[in-house]
Amino acid sequence: MNPLTIDIRRLQREIDELASITEAEPPVVTRVLFSGADLRGREFVKKLCREAGLTLRADAVGNIFARWEGANEKLPPVATGSHIDAIPNAGKYDGVVGVLGAIEAIRALKKSGHRPQRAIELIVFTAEEPTRFGIGCVGSRLLSGVLAPQKAAALRDRDGKSLDELRRDAGYTGSLDSVRLPKNCYAAFVELHIEQGPILEWENTAIGIVEKIAAPSTLRMELTGVGGHAGGTLMPGRRDALLAGAEIALAVERAVTGSGSPDTVGTTGVFRIEPGAVNSVPCRALLEIDVRDTKVATRDAALVQIETAAVEICQRRGVVLETDRLNVDPPAVCDAALVETTADICRHLGVSHRKMISRAYHDTLFMAQICSCTMIFIPCRGGVSHRPDEFTSPEQIETGVHILAQTLAQAAG
Ligand SMILES: [Zn+2]
């Protein structure tokens, strides 16, 4: 095998071109699942896969698989991949580095004359971001069996459109029952991703190798109070849904800061009120609350504390509360041997690296349910992500793609 050369200029051009496929004004990237931009982005990625000589297929929820056949088709393949959907007002590297970077890793391996024993398969996951349905990683949840097909089919977006309608409109028509993959259908899964945190940059370290992914959970609370004229409704006896919601948001902060674990974090990221007029008492509030921790026990204790507080607050304020646990997921523990393989590759190449915890969750969290996994993190400037000024340098990407390529080559034999 000749030495690996990553064509970083071509890869950077492709990252820039995908970033121009957006629902927003560039440089802002917005690519919500099954929007026009998402569908055009998928076509762009598929074109690159075809040009790289990969065999394409898609499953019923729109997960895309691009395969480089191995010498021994009896062996389970090695997989890599990430997502190209982007939240509103995002940047161009989150997810994309793991998709386009994987294509470049495969191209580089091919060019070097490498011939893997196992097939190497790129997966572009559907809806890693929770924007459309309030739940993230829809594609990998279905693949791993964490989300039941009937539950997925019934997911609805803000306009009342179901996942089932939307995926069919996008051309993914099979039965959702067919999406789930058997355990150990892949020998390994490795996802390249920007860190979305500041640690690698602080420490001036090129590569983070993920050992564990923090356990996420999402609560949705619908509060129904009583509206009325802002002038005519006197203060005693008001049943203001916004004020109940505001108290709940503060209770979230109290629960996570008092959990006893420094890793517990809680965010009330959605807070919508109706009718939303300055002269009207808010009659309805919708809150979506994200709570995470590396430990299940402290995360779950915080969830219970938040739910208990919400019940008390709403009772006291005469507001009707409906709580839904959208997801309560376990943490993922990465495969120690795979982590060591990647660490050895870094050592061998003289690339600075450290093992770390991912506090953001990724499709790997769910792939870990069916096969050995790890993630390769590269730094991003200031730890900034989910913003248009998200930035990772071409050199940092090149190093990440190099380590990914070597890890895939080793895992594929
Ligand atoms: Zn991502």
Side-chain angles (χ1 to χ4, degrees):
M1 186 171 122
N2 299 316
L4 271 185
T5 43
I6 309 300
D7 189 344
I8 185 60
R9 290 176 63 185
R10 171 172 60 178
L11 175 55
Q12 185 65 55
R13 269 201 312 277
E14 290 165 352
I15 291 171
D16 293 341
E17 189 172 345
L18 184 50
S20 74
I21 304 175
T22 167
E23 297 160 64
E25 189 63 36
V28 175
V29 179
T30 301
R31 255 192 323 264
V32 177
L33 173 72
F34 296 153
S35 63
D38 182 47
L39 296 178
R40 289 197 303 281
R42 286 164 176 263
E43 287 310 314
F44 175 70
V45 171
K46 287 198 289 191
K47 182 186 75 134
L48 296 183
C49 290
R50 275 192 293 268
E51 287 168 1
L54 307 181
T55 312
L56 282 162
R57 71 186 164 87
D59 67 17
V61 78
N63 292 313
I64 296 168
F65 303 81
R67 182 189 277 240
W68 177 21
E69 288 300 344
N72 186 345
E73 56 188 42
K74 289 200 193 87
L75 295 173
V78 167
T80 179
S82 197
H83 62 100
I84 63 160
D85 65 325
I87 65 161
N89 205 39
K92 59 182 169 184
Y93 300 96
D94 173 11
V96 167
V97 160
V99 172
L100 300 185
I103 298 174
E104 177 55 30
I106 291 172
R107 289 187 300 223
L109 285 169
K110 282 189 160 189
K111 206 169 65 188
S112 75
H114 183 75
R115 182 86 175 95
Q117 281 297 310
R118 300 172 187 276
I120 296 179
E121 195 156 88
L122 162 68
I123 310 176
V124 186
F125 294 98
T126 282
E128 193 271 346
E129 301 291 0
T131 316
R132 188 135 206 177
F133 296 111
I135 176 174
C137 295
V138 172
S140 51
R141 279 176 197 275
L142 277 167
L143 278 182
S144 60
V146 171
L147 178 64
Q150 318 83 274
K151 247 189 130 177
L155 288 172
R156 281 178 191 281
D157 70 3
R158 213 188 280 192
D159 301 324
K161 283 204 175 142
S162 72
L163 171 65
D164 217 31
E165 285 171 77
L166 287 161
R167 62 155 186 128
R168 285 172 195 282
D169 290 350
Y172 302 108
T173 52
S175 159
L176 285 181
D177 294 327
S178 63
V179 174
R180 185 172 182 175
L181 295 175
K183 253 195 162 71
N184 299 317
C185 60
Y186 291 113
F189 176 79
V190 186
E191 179 172 4
L192 173 66
H193 206 283
I194 59 169
E195 182 197 350
Q196 302 182 292
I199 295 169
L200 293 175
E201 189 180 76
W202 280 347
E203 295 184 349
N204 199 18
T205 299
I207 294 289
I209 308 167
V210 174
E211 287 185 299
K212 205 171 180 187
I213 303 175
S217 60
T218 315
L219 297 177
R220 176 186 276 159
M221 294 189 179
E222 282 186 55
L223 278 54
T224 309
V226 176
H229 193 285
T233 317
L234 293 177
M235 297 312 288
R238 274 201 190 189
R239 293 157 71 183
D240 185 322
L242 175 140
L243 291 179
E247 279 200 58
I248 291 171
L250 292 173
V252 170
E253 185 187 41
R254 238 184 350 264
V256 298
T257 50
S259 80
S261 156
D263 291 327
T264 324
V265 286
T267 308
T268 304
V270 170
F271 196 144
R272 284 201 289 273
I273 56 161
E274 289 173 21
V278 69
N279 57 356
S280 182
V281 178
C283 60
R284 272 173 49 83
L286 174 76
L287 280 71
E288 283 177 10
I289 300 158
D290 179 302
V291 181
R292 306 179 192 209
D293 203 326
T294 52
K295 289 186 217 71
V296 172
T298 39
R299 192 269 317 265
D300 289 353
L303 284 178
V304 170
Q305 197 184 325
I306 292 164
E307 287 167 339
T308 310
V311 168
E312 184 277 317
I313 291 161
C314 289
Q315 260 166 14
R316 175 161 42 78
R317 289 184 170 274
V319 168
V320 177
L321 169 69
E322 221 179 289
T323 300
D324 195 5
R325 288 186 168 196
L326 292 186
N327 64 288
V328 180
D329 297 305
V333 180
C334 294
D335 184 71
L338 195 54
V339 167
E340 266 329 300
T341 299
T342 308
D344 279 344
I345 290 166
C346 290
R347 263 189 291 270
H348 189 73
L349 294 170
V351 170
S352 59
H353 61 284
R354 57 129 56 219
K355 293 174 188 169
M356 62 195 306
I357 292 168
S358 173
R359 285 160 205 286
Y361 71 85
H362 303 280
D363 293 300
T364 300
L365 182 68
F366 301 100
M367 292 305 284
Q369 300 283 328
I370 56 168
C371 65
S372 306
C373 289
T374 190
M375 297 187 70
I376 298 170
F377 275 178
I378 54 174
C380 53
R381 189 176 59 199
V384 165
S385 181
H386 283 189
R387 272 175 29 189
D389 57 338
E390 186 179 85
F391 178 77
T392 298
S393 74
E395 297 73 29
Q396 289 167 325
I397 296 171
E398 184 176 2
T399 305
V401 172
H402 202 128
I403 301 299
L404 173 67
Q406 298 268 19
T407 304
L408 293 174
Q410 286 235 359

